[in-house]
Amino acid sequence: MRDLDDTDRHILRLLVDDARRPYSDIADHVDLSAPAVSDRIDRLRELGVVRGFTVDVDRSLLNTGVPVLVELDVPVDRAGEVATALGELDAVEHTFETADGAVVVQATVRDGDVTGLLAEAIDLEQVRDVDVRLLRGSEWSPSLGDATLALTCAECGNHVTSEGESARLDDKLYHFCCGTCLANFEDRFERLQSGA
Amino acid sequence: MRDLDDTDRHILRLLVDDARRPYSDIADHVDLSAPAVSDRIDRLRELGVVRGFTVDVDRSLLNTGVPVLVELDVPVDRAGEVATALGELDAVEHTFETADGAVVVQATVRDGDVTGLLAEAIDLEQVRDVDVRLLRGSEWSPSLGDATLALTCAECGNHVTSEGESARLDDKLYHFCCGTCLANFEDRFERLQSGA
DNA sequence: ATTGAAATCGGCCTAGC
DNA sequence: GCTAGGCCGATTTCAAT
């Protein structure tokens, strides 16, 4: 379990800037060979740090409706599921879940019927209050800073340090803080597998 | 001035899904040749609809600080510049400017000193109120719907229809609702050029 | 059709037991 | 001294223009 190093961050920054940049180009910047860059990007994907590559679309040039910022006040224990459900809506682009149980989403509505939109995804009964505001503009400026890995042990929930270990089970990568947690997890996993 | 057609939208959707997908692969999906796909993507870049290609990073796995959602209440006529100034900060990832003059930003702070961060970019005197909330999570789920072009005439501000025209001036592409607007704009542009 | 980029593979080097 | 991980260079296959 190696943490991210400066080279990883540099590669990430270059990709944030232009994800279609050739590996050979990246290689020049970080003073490595193209295959080495490819390996590192593979590893970042494996780790889940890189979820994928997308296109940055200027939605203000597209006629998809009116952009709004919607804030919902829901019971704290429901905030998670509400946020997830709303995120699945096509019209919703960003969802934020605050620690005190508010859910803020940025969406684009065709006809101004925000509550109708919300009702498609969630039960409005559990919403105590809704605040809708028209957006004049929005910007996205991704950056990275000096990020390091912040993985959570799949067994005990503790922070995974460089002493941690990882294992691939059923094609998914899990991280653990120590060998004991890994072993315990694998045990339970196997039992579930054979049971199912 | 052709509007977006189904093929353009299909290409965009495929790119949203995976921006490193080979053009030949896209070509198969939309029943075109790879060079034709390349041409279309070039055009989408020209139009400004695609701003670029990026990587989708899972920031929840990265230790960059504490994510917060900050709302500022500022005079309506200052909202624009405040939003822009804050957007330039490294720690700020999203900025939203609402029609009623509120500015909402999503940022990541190292030490919890949000006002210190804000002070780096803007004059706190003009801020009437600040509301800071801790974020438990955030999601980004890009989608497209049935988008069509919504360009604004650079001269008169009207909507540009398929009858509109475009022109490249000083390496930037401008759109106009009609030939008259184009001519007027070009005139002013030339005068500014020679004056400067 | 030409140019160029990505994946793959064998071998090398280094670090850590 | 052995193993594991990371990197390189060459090659081949495939993509971009």
Side-chain angles (χ1 to χ4, degrees):
Chain A
M1 270 307 308
R2 221 198 50 220
D3 203 332
L4 301 189
D5 61 13
D6 285 341
T7 305
D8 290 316
R9 281 185 285 270
H10 198 164
I11 291 174
L12 279 175
R13 246 175 262 118
L14 291 167
L15 286 177
V16 165
D17 201 55
D18 176 9
R20 284 193 79 103
R21 198 190 294 266
Y23 291 175
S24 52
D25 191 299
I26 300 175
D28 289 347
H29 275 86
V30 302
D31 235 11
L32 282 174
S33 71
V37 170
S38 172
D39 285 352
R40 290 180 99 117
I41 295 179
D42 283 351
R43 176 168 169 271
L44 291 168
R45 292 197 80 134
E46 285 273 321
L47 282 171
V49 170
V50 166
R51 270 196 290 237
F53 302 98
T54 33
V55 61
D56 178 12
V57 172
D58 185 345
R59 273 148 234 271
S60 69
L61 297 183
L62 298 179
N63 232 337
T64 55
V66 181
V68 291
L69 198 66
V70 182
E71 175 163 350
L72 298 95
D73 180 18
V74 293
V76 203
D77 57 326
R78 289 302 184 79
E81 61 191 82
V82 166
T84 310
L86 289 175
E88 317 244 303
L89 287 174
D90 252 26
V92 171
E93 193 177 344
H94 294 286
T95 65
F96 303 101
E97 182 198 347
T98 73
D100 59 335
V103 175
V104 176
V105 309
Q106 191 255 301
T108 313
V109 291
R110 262 229 163 298
D111 45 13
D113 180 16
V114 176
T115 37
L117 176 72
L118 298 177
E120 285 174 31
I122 58 169
D123 176 14
L124 291 181
E125 289 291 316
Q126 59 196 327
V127 178
R128 287 191 288 242
D129 192 27
V130 184
D131 177 40
V132 179
R133 281 178 297 179
L134 209 105
L135 279 176
R136 185 178 295 154
S138 62
E139 271 301 326
W140 179 47
S141 38
S143 70
L144 229 66
D146 50 353
T148 56
L149 276 181
L151 302 174
T152 304
C153 178
E155 179 69 14
C156 71
N158 283 340
H159 183 217
V160 176
T161 68
S162 50
E163 272 81 58
E165 303 179 29
S166 302
R168 174 169 306 284
L169 299 167
D170 204 16
D171 229 36
K172 199 176 166 322
L173 194 66
Y174 297 89
H175 307 283
F176 306 93
C177 62
C178 60
T180 315
C181 275
L182 197 170
N184 289 344
F185 189 90
E186 267 183 330
D187 261 22
R188 271 195 305 130
F189 197 90
E190 305 251 310
R191 266 184 280 121
L192 282 170
Q193 284 281 67
S194 51
Chain B
M1 271 306 309
R2 219 197 51 224
D3 203 332
L4 302 188
D5 61 13
D6 285 341
T7 305
D8 291 316
R9 281 184 285 271
H10 198 163
I11 291 174
L12 279 174
R13 244 175 263 118
L14 290 167
L15 286 175
V16 164
D17 202 55
D18 176 9
R20 283 194 80 104
R21 195 189 296 265
Y23 290 177
S24 54
D25 190 299
I26 300 177
D28 289 348
H29 275 86
V30 301
D31 233 15
L32 246 51
S33 70
V37 170
S38 171
D39 287 351
R40 283 191 181 239
I41 295 178
D42 284 351
R43 175 169 169 270
L44 291 169
R45 290 198 82 134
E46 284 273 319
L47 282 170
V49 170
V50 358
R51 273 194 287 237
F53 302 99
T54 30
V55 61
D56 180 12
V57 172
D58 186 345
R59 274 151 231 273
S60 70
L61 297 183
L62 297 179
N63 237 333
T64 58
V66 181
V68 291
L69 198 65
V70 183
E71 175 163 351
L72 298 97
D73 180 17
V74 293
V76 203
D77 57 324
R78 289 302 185 78
E81 62 191 79
V82 166
T84 310
L86 289 175
E88 318 244 301
L89 288 174
D90 246 29
V92 171
E93 192 176 344
H94 293 284
T95 66
F96 302 101
E97 181 196 349
T98 73
D100 59 335
V103 176
V104 176
V105 309
Q106 190 259 298
T108 312
V109 292
R110 268 234 158 293
D111 46 13
D113 180 16
V114 175
T115 37
L117 177 72
L118 299 177
E120 285 174 31
I122 58 169
D123 176 14
L124 291 181
E125 290 291 316
Q126 60 196 327
V127 178
R128 287 189 291 240
D129 192 28
V130 185
D131 177 40
V132 180
R133 282 177 296 180
L134 225 142
L135 280 176
R136 185 179 295 154
S138 61
E139 269 302 325
W140 179 45
S141 37
S143 71
L144 227 65
D146 51 351
T148 56
L149 276 181
L151 301 175
T152 305
C153 177
E155 179 69 15
C156 70
N158 283 340
H159 183 217
V160 176
T161 68
S162 50
E163 272 80 57
E165 301 179 29
S166 302
R168 172 168 307 284
L169 299 167
D170 205 17
D171 230 38
K172 199 174 165 320
L173 194 66
Y174 296 90
H175 307 282
F176 306 93
C177 62
C178 59
T180 315
C181 276
L182 197 170
N184 288 344
F185 189 90
E186 268 183 329
D187 261 22
R188 269 195 306 131
F189 197 89
E190 305 250 309
R191 265 184 282 122
L192 283 170
Q193 284 282 67
S194 52

